[in-house]
Amino acid sequence: PPPPPRVMSPPTSSPMTQTASQPIDPAVRQRALETMRRRLTSVVPGSPKRPTPSTPAQPAVNPAPRGEDREARLARILADGEEAQKRGDFEKALEHFRNALAIAKDDDAIQNRVNAVDQLLKAQKTSTYIEKARDAMREGKAEIAATMWEKAWEGRPTDAALLVNAAEVLAKWGNNRGKAKELAQRALAVDPKAVKAHVVLAQVFTAGGLKASARSAIDAIARLEPDNPALKELREKLGPPSLAEQLGLRGR
């Protein structure tokens, strides 16, 4: 006959089971957490937290080192500006030098450096502004074209032709005769022999009914360039001088 089935005795509680059922000492828990942190740090030392999708990473800021005094900070910013200028990064260099000037507001040497680098930056952008001016002219945007020509002149302040271009654009296609006049006069301050600037002034004065001023501009054109093709048209538009003009009774 088959042997009788074996009866399994109920499992006895092991020491581990007994321990798990007991409350854990808070001091033991704290030591375990500290041990876990040390192990994680040893695996990935100083690992930065990744930004969550809802919190994009911010650009790094270079704050003043702790304990850095005013003179040390000023020296550091100036050194950063020097390095940026050597690299040809005039925009960054200007930012550094302006920050330095904010610390030392009465320092003429730093102010001169700000002015010099600002001019270098404008000169660096001259070609870009010229291209933008030409693009605006092709698109028939007179005001934008004039602004770009003027910005180009800021980087090349001895080139009166850039101001003349701005004045011509406004005189022919713009609606701001006052600005065209101002630009032409500024061009003549740079180069008194800029004939095109006198032409612009003659056009602006004629359109505004300022006959005496227009006639003075036309006379200047005739002296500088007697065969200028604009002379005939300008004289025809202006017409002969009136009796009052001949007697000098009408102002400009």
Side-chain angles (χ1 to χ4, degrees):
R6 296 175 59 186
V7 179
M8 300 295 291
S9 60
T12 59
S13 59
S14 65
M16 184 178 295
T17 306
Q18 294 174 355
T19 305
S21 63
Q22 298 173 355
I24 299 175
D25 187 344
V28 174
R29 180 189 293 273
Q30 184 64 30
R31 285 197 296 271
L33 288 173
E34 291 175 356
T35 301
M36 185 180 295
R37 289 195 189 99
R38 284 196 296 270
R39 287 177 180 173
L40 288 172
T41 305
S42 66
V43 174
V44 188
S47 57
K49 294 181 180 179
R50 292 186 179 181
T52 60
S54 60
T55 308
Q58 298 298 320
V61 179
N62 186 20
R66 184 174 297 177
E68 184 181 41
D69 62 18
R70 177 183 179 278
E71 295 304 321
R73 185 182 177 207
L74 182 61
R76 176 174 59 82
I77 294 173
L78 289 172
D80 290 343
E82 292 282 355
E83 286 300 317
Q85 185 174 346
K86 288 177 183 177
R87 294 194 308 269
D89 189 351
F90 299 134
E91 195 162 353
K92 196 67 178 176
L94 184 59
E95 179 184 338
H96 286 306
F97 291 133
R98 280 176 174 165
N99 288 340
L101 190 61
I103 297 172
K105 295 181 175 62
D106 298 326
D107 193 316
D108 291 338
I110 298 176
Q111 180 64 67
N112 292 338
R113 179 60 67 88
V114 167
N115 295 341
V117 175
D118 184 46
Q119 187 58 42
L120 287 172
L121 180 59
K122 288 175 180 177
Q124 192 178 57
K125 292 182 176 181
T126 296
S127 297
T128 301
Y129 285 132
I130 289 174
E131 288 302 316
K132 287 182 177 181
R134 289 171 176 164
D135 289 342
M137 289 178 69
R138 283 191 288 267
E139 295 169 5
K141 298 177 180 178
E143 299 289 339
I144 294 176
T147 299
M148 293 299 106
W149 284 122
E150 189 175 5
K151 283 184 174 294
W153 171 79
E154 290 176 357
R156 202 186 294 168
T158 59
D159 192 345
L162 297 173
L163 286 176
V164 171
N165 289 345
E168 280 186 318
V169 168
L170 291 179
K172 290 181 180 179
W173 299 291
N175 296 316
N176 192 339
R177 286 201 298 262
K179 182 65 174 179
K181 170 190 168 184
E182 176 204 326
L183 290 165
Q185 289 173 333
R186 284 165 57 191
L188 289 172
V190 176
D191 179 9
K193 295 182 179 180
V195 176
K196 287 185 177 181
H198 288 293
V199 171
V200 171
L201 287 178
Q203 292 169 340
V204 169
F205 289 141
T206 300
L210 302 173
K211 291 188 175 183
S213 296
R215 210 170 298 283
S216 295
I218 290 172
D219 290 344
I221 298 168
R223 286 194 304 272
L224 294 168
E225 197 173 288
D227 57 348
N228 188 287
L231 272 174
K232 181 180 178 181
E233 181 182 354
L234 287 169
R235 283 169 172 160
E236 288 176 353
K237 283 185 177 180
L238 190 61
S242 64
L243 179 61
E245 285 182 280
Q246 293 177 26
L247 296 175
L249 299 178
R250 290 189 62 181
R252 299 187 175 194

